[in-house]
Amino acid sequence: MRMDKLTTKLQLAIADAQSLAIGRDHQFIEPEHVLLSMLDQQDGATKPLLAKAGVNVSALRSALEQVLD
């Protein structure tokens, strides 16, 4: 994957996902790591988009935390 072809926000999300995976002693970055990091981004579009689509973002975040634990 060429990181220079990704948006700045996605590059930051992947870097945050990597930090999250390392902090939890996970060997791989899973989609759950990336989604959780996207939800935690300041001024990101993911959380408002999901909320507008009717997703309970708090419940989703809790479920992601459980999966990663």
Side-chain angles (χ1 to χ4, degrees):
M1 174 178 13
R2 290 194 45 198
M3 291 292 284
D4 62 320
K5 294 288 184 181
L6 304 176
T7 65
T8 304
K9 285 287 187 186
L10 187 54
Q11 288 177 18
L12 291 171
I14 291 172
D16 290 344
Q18 181 181 20
S19 296
L20 183 62
I22 289 170
R24 293 173 180 254
D25 291 328
H26 297 162
Q27 292 184 352
F28 301 101
I29 299 173
E30 300 291 344
E32 292 84 359
H33 294 109
V34 178
L35 183 54
L36 187 57
S37 67
M38 291 174 75
L39 288 177
D40 289 342
Q41 279 185 335
Q42 295 294 329
D43 301 327
T46 305
K47 191 188 287 188
L49 248 167
L50 289 174
K52 191 169 187 171
V55 175
N56 183 339
V57 177
S58 299
L60 174 61
R61 192 175 192 301
S62 296
L64 289 169
E65 289 282 352
Q66 286 180 339
V67 167
L68 292 175
D69 285 340

